[in-house]
Amino acid sequence: MSGDALFPRDPVTLGPGAVHLPGWLSIEQQRALVDACRAWARGPVPLRHTALPGGGVMSVRTVCLGWHWLPYRYSRTADDVNGAEVAAVPHWLVELGRSALVSAYGEQYEASGYTPDAALVNFYDGAARMGMHQDKEERSDAPVVSLSIGDSCIFRFGNAENRGRPHTDVELQSGDLFVFGGPSRFIYHGVPKVYPGTGDPATGMSGGRLNITLRETGLAG
Ligand code: SIN
Ligand code: MN
């Protein structure tokens, strides 16, 4: 039995609309998501380090579904990779996003019509980080649903004004759900640290961290 099962972690609301639900995904769901991410990473657009306009590259590797994210816009085609059209967001992943909102916010969100049309799959090796940023390429203010699998990390949840303080550091572990919507939708956030070797191999991952964020882009077509 894992330590988490002996000492379950409680749900935490970090701010209005920002909810952390530890251990939301079962091991079976995590394993199925890992398998799906492996398939998405094979194509039609491969997992890649995103090139930044300043000349650097992101340390995480990313593959997108529905819409391809590149700095700083969405496109149907992976214009900065191989030009291919990205894979669709499968209906089961939309449903998972809907049930995440119900778990985070309550039954009334069943009818919210949440239909994420973009998913960003990020893979972090032990050295990868993500700097403080806002998710603001979307034209919708619908919540972002974040699912974590594999190694634990520090997720830094900041403020809506800038990359600095105040911020709260949250440990996201394998299976955790984090939802940020409402007044927290445009909060700066980032991942300053991953803890290598902390994931459960039962997920099918021998190392590293996967994070999947579901978003409504608000873009047509
Ligand atoms: C992101 O901000 O897009 C990813 C956050 C995470 O990896 O937890
Ligand atoms: Mn983000």
Side-chain angles (χ1 to χ4, degrees):
M1 186 182 286
S2 78
D4 285 354
L6 282 171
F7 302 104
R9 295 166 298 139
D10 291 327
V12 178
T13 297
L14 279 104
V19 184
H20 175 203
L21 292 180
W24 187 74
L25 292 166
S26 68
I27 281 286
E28 291 72 28
Q29 286 174 304
Q30 293 176 63
R31 207 170 19 230
L33 281 165
V34 169
D35 286 346
C37 289
R38 284 211 172 96
W40 294 324
R42 283 195 288 268
V45 181
L47 200 67
R48 92 322 184 176
H49 291 280
T50 306
L52 294 167
V57 290
M58 291 177 70
S59 57
V60 301
R61 285 185 286 160
T62 307
V63 65
C64 307
L65 307 175
W67 288 90
H68 180 81
W69 178 85
L70 67 161
Y72 291 95
R73 64 185 173 93
Y74 284 104
S75 169
R76 283 293 192 196
T77 46
D79 303 339
D80 60 341
V81 189
N82 62 359
E85 198 166 309
V86 297
V89 179
H91 188 65
W92 60 263
L93 194 54
V94 174
E95 292 290 352
L96 193 63
R98 287 181 179 152
S99 70
L101 285 202
V102 170
S103 296
Y105 296 151
E107 292 298 328
Q108 67 273 27
Y109 279 84
E110 196 92 65
S112 69
Y114 185 60
T115 307
D117 60 338
L120 272 65
V121 177
N122 286 318
F123 177 76
Y124 296 72
D125 65 18
R129 312 268 179 271
M130 190 175 290
M132 295 295 278
H133 66 280
Q134 294 168 297
D135 293 353
K136 62 175 184 188
E137 280 69 57
E138 301 79 22
R139 293 193 196 142
S140 159
D141 60 3
V144 174
V145 167
S146 156
L147 302 167
S148 294
I149 305 173
D151 288 340
S152 301
C153 76
I154 297 290
F155 179 75
R156 183 161 289 174
F157 191 70
N159 64 81
E161 311 303 322
N162 58 53
R163 293 181 168 75
R165 292 175 185 275
H167 62 239
T168 306
D169 282 349
V170 183
E171 185 174 322
L172 292 184
Q173 297 183 9
S174 198
D176 287 9
L177 164 66
F178 195 96
V179 177
F180 49 107
S184 293
R185 173 62 179 77
F186 295 101
I187 293 279
Y188 281 88
H189 58 277
V191 176
K193 184 160 183 53
V194 172
Y195 293 106
T198 51
D200 181 348
T203 61
M205 286 181 73
S206 56
R209 169 176 186 262
L210 270 180
N211 177 264
I212 305 167
T213 49
L214 307 181
R215 301 124 185 257
E216 270 189 8
T217 64
L219 298 166

